[in-house]
Amino acid sequence: MLPWKRRRVAPPIAHDPEAPQPLQPDRSLDVELLQKWMSLARMQQRVIRTLVSEIQQTSAVVETEAEALSGRFQRLAVCAEQQTARVESLSKLAIGIQIDEEVVPIDRIAGLLEDTLSDVVEKILHLSKDSMSMVYALNELNANVGRVHNCMAELNGINRTTNMLALNARIEAERSGTAGAAFRVVANEVRDLSRATHDLSISMNGELKAVTEGIASGHTTLQRVATIDMSQNLMAKDRLEVLMSALIRRTEMLTSVVADAVKEAEVIAADVEGMVTGIQFQDRARQRLEHVVDTLHVVDQALDELKSATEGRLPEASGESSFDVEWVTRLLDRFTLGELRSRFVAQILEGKQAADLDDEAAIRVEPSASGSVELF
Amino acid sequence: MQITVDRDAGRIAVAGEFTFNDHSQFKQMIIELFEAKGSTITIDLSKLEFIDSAGLGMLLLARDEARKNDRQLILKRPGGQVKRMFCVTKFNTLFTVEE
């Protein structure tokens, strides 16, 4: 029992002979006024109990939704952390290509490619120059072989003449008889020499023919090599340089975008972390609401005790005061939430107990996936 | 390839396409120019539309021949594909190329 209640409601006050005697107004009016106060007290109790019920339900809803939100934020924090790590990993990928344990930057790859292609181009130029040099050399050699052919033809002519001379000398030697014996020997030697020269000439012609054919074959092969147009291969370097320039530009842009993404991901992670901490407000709110509910319980209890003390001394009143029903109705008309209004009507005007509505309320406090709230 | 030779000025103008098939004609032209007097030989490429790797090789041989004869070979006003080929092969580091 509350102290103030003991002081004011204690019966001895009415029997104290030394206490100042109140005026003796119309007793029936006093009774009517007290009955109105009693009616108001009953209505206030209903309002208090309804408010207590509503606060408890709201607290439960806030608790449940806050826990659900906290869980989601924690998952979001983990995701944000992973996302930051991924973006940082992406930034490494954007800078270059990993070869073994080393990340080689794109511009260095472009430099290596440029050096390699320059080397290839240089070799193609050398090859082209040397091929053309060989072509010119073979042309010269071919001309030389032609001149050797001419020499061989002249040699054959000389040999034919020598052979004719040997034959004529032999005829003349035979005509001279014995006196021409020595001349005959010389004529035979000249004829043998001519035959040997002829045989050598045939052999040389054969060798020369082989050389000529070899030169012709080499010339054909070299021509085939020299006529391979390497200009497209040279231009490939040009195209690759354009491609590498584009790749470097793209990498620079990607690096810039990824750097921004890393910063943003870090900001998001920090914000989510802050939200996870911030969502813990429900603990404090619950404690405050518990104090409010406790206070309302005490007030309700005080009203109960005052009612009990008063009801025994008053004649029984007939139902609710129309005045109380009116102000409660005006109050309820200000409610915009239909569900809330229904509960208040049921508990305050119809006198139903909050426990009767608990099952329904319990269903309502389940966290909804969509988090939808009735507004009107 | 069409060739116009100005022996007195030590200048050649070439037009069309410069490929392997032109090697005999090109050599003859170079020999004729080296027989003429003067310290420089200029090849005007402004009307040359195409050059292949064999053509580049012949120009390099002509450059070597010029050096042997204490002459300077100048390539003048290359354009189009010829200019791109010179650019790719960095011909300006091997020859005096005038725009």
Side-chain angles (χ1 to χ4, degrees):
Chain A
M1 184 181 289
L2 296 169
W4 63 268
K5 200 238 167 217
R6 279 201 302 274
R7 281 198 306 276
R8 296 198 179 190
V9 185
I13 293 171
H15 302 290
D16 184 3
E18 293 184 5
Q21 293 299 310
L23 293 173
Q24 295 295 318
D26 186 352
R27 180 161 172 74
S28 64
L29 192 60
D30 290 346
V31 167
E32 188 184 341
L33 274 172
L34 270 173
Q35 282 176 334
K36 281 184 179 175
W37 274 108
M38 290 294 289
S39 171
L40 180 60
R42 281 194 296 275
M43 194 59 83
Q44 281 177 336
Q45 272 190 301
R46 287 186 190 176
V47 170
I48 286 168
R49 287 168 189 170
T50 306
L51 286 175
V52 166
S53 167
E54 201 59 39
I55 288 168
Q56 285 171 336
Q57 282 185 30
T58 305
S59 177
V61 168
V62 170
E63 180 101 7
T64 312
E65 291 290 349
E67 276 178 13
L69 266 180
S70 178
R72 284 181 193 152
F73 276 130
Q74 277 171 359
R75 284 197 297 278
L76 201 58
V78 172
C79 288
E81 200 175 324
Q82 289 172 344
Q83 191 69 4
T84 305
R86 280 193 207 102
V87 172
E88 280 173 354
S89 166
L90 193 62
S91 71
K92 286 178 189 165
L93 289 175
I95 292 167
I97 295 169
Q98 189 160 356
I99 300 170
D100 296 330
E101 294 300 315
E102 188 190 2
V103 175
V104 183
I106 296 291
D107 53 354
R108 202 174 129 203
I109 292 171
L112 287 171
L113 194 60
E114 160 75 19
D115 291 346
T116 308
L117 288 171
S118 294
D119 190 46
V120 170
V121 165
E122 196 178 330
K123 284 185 168 61
I124 289 175
L125 279 183
H126 274 296
L127 188 67
S128 301
K129 180 183 156 191
D130 290 346
S131 297
M132 291 314 300
S133 180
M134 287 277 288
V135 166
Y136 285 130
L138 279 180
N139 283 346
E140 281 297 317
L141 194 58
N142 217 18
N144 289 339
V145 169
R147 284 192 284 276
V148 171
H149 266 296
N150 291 337
C151 290
M152 289 300 297
E154 282 182 29
L155 192 64
N156 284 335
I158 292 167
N159 197 39
R160 276 196 299 276
T161 306
T162 307
N163 201 27
M164 286 297 293
L165 279 173
L167 188 61
N168 288 336
R170 178 70 188 272
I171 292 167
E172 290 303 320
E174 290 299 327
R175 276 187 194 159
S176 303
T178 316
F183 196 59
R184 191 181 306 117
V185 172
V186 174
N188 284 339
E189 288 297 321
V190 172
R191 189 193 60 194
D192 291 344
L193 186 63
S194 175
R195 279 181 186 163
T197 306
H198 178 68
D199 292 345
L200 185 62
S201 173
I202 289 171
S203 175
M204 281 180 71
N205 268 327
E207 292 297 327
L208 201 55
K209 190 182 174 193
V211 169
T212 306
E213 285 173 357
I215 290 172
S217 171
H219 193 270
T220 307
T221 306
L222 193 57
Q223 182 168 339
R224 206 161 48 236
V225 172
T227 51
I228 294 171
D229 182 15
M230 303 290 281
S231 58
Q232 289 302 313
N233 305 69
L234 293 174
M235 294 311 288
K237 178 176 180 280
D238 197 26
R239 289 194 294 274
L240 279 171
E241 281 175 353
V242 171
L243 277 175
M244 288 311 294
S245 298
L247 188 60
I248 289 171
R249 280 199 303 278
R250 181 182 164 278
T251 304
E252 286 170 352
M253 286 170 64
L254 190 61
T255 306
S256 168
V257 169
V258 168
D260 289 345
V262 167
K263 282 182 198 163
E264 284 166 10
E266 285 170 353
V267 169
I268 290 169
D271 281 352
V272 170
E273 198 66 36
M275 282 191 278
V276 169
T277 309
I279 204 71
Q280 305 301 324
F281 74 90
Q282 94 277 6
D283 274 346
R284 200 159 183 78
R286 182 173 49 76
Q287 287 175 24
R288 287 182 182 180
L289 290 173
E290 278 173 0
H291 286 308
V292 172
V293 166
D294 191 43
T295 304
L296 289 172
H297 274 310
V298 170
V299 173
D300 183 39
Q301 193 181 355
L303 284 171
D304 249 350
E305 289 176 9
L306 183 60
K307 250 173 43 186
S308 304
T310 312
E311 274 171 353
R313 305 193 48 183
L314 282 178
E316 193 172 342
S318 57
E320 302 298 341
S321 158
S322 60
F323 169 75
D324 293 328
V325 172
E326 278 174 18
W327 72 257
V328 169
T329 306
R330 279 202 304 277
L331 169 69
L332 296 181
D333 285 345
R334 295 164 66 173
F335 286 10
T336 53
L337 292 175
E339 179 203 10
L340 180 74
R341 190 174 186 282
S342 300
R343 280 201 303 277
F344 271 60
V345 167
Q347 291 179 68
I348 299 172
L349 295 181
E350 296 169 6
K352 289 182 182 173
Q353 295 300 310
D356 299 338
L357 306 169
D358 276 354
D359 292 343
E360 188 186 345
I363 293 167
R364 281 198 298 274
V365 298
E366 286 295 324
S368 59
S370 62
S372 62
V373 175
E374 183 194 2
L375 295 176
F376 300 101
Chain B
M1 180 171 69
Q2 298 83 49
I3 300 175
T4 310
V5 181
D6 183 349
R7 288 182 183 79
D8 296 335
R11 191 165 54 223
I12 316 164
V14 291
E17 298 187 350
F18 185 17
T19 65
F20 175 83
N21 297 330
D22 303 305
H23 70 277
S24 299
Q25 192 183 4
F26 182 75
K27 184 177 182 182
Q28 187 60 36
M29 174 192 77
I30 291 295
I31 289 169
E32 284 182 27
L33 275 177
F34 284 150
E35 285 170 354
K37 291 180 180 175
S39 59
T40 61
I41 297 169
T42 304
I43 303 179
D44 185 352
L45 303 168
S46 59
K47 291 185 179 170
L48 189 66
E49 295 166 1
F50 178 82
I51 188 167
D52 68 357
S53 51
L56 295 174
M58 284 185 265
L59 285 176
L60 287 169
L61 287 176
R63 182 197 63 162
D64 291 352
E65 202 61 29
R67 280 181 181 171
K68 283 181 199 167
N69 289 279
D70 293 326
R71 303 276 187 93
Q72 187 188 11
L73 186 62
I74 297 171
L75 305 178
K76 204 165 183 180
R77 291 193 293 169
Q81 184 265 357
V82 180
K83 190 175 183 179
R84 286 209 305 281
M85 287 288 273
F86 281 14
C87 187
V88 167
T89 54
K90 296 178 181 166
F91 244 44
N92 59 331
T93 62
L94 306 171
F95 289 88
T96 301
V97 180
E98 292 180 354
E99 295 295 329

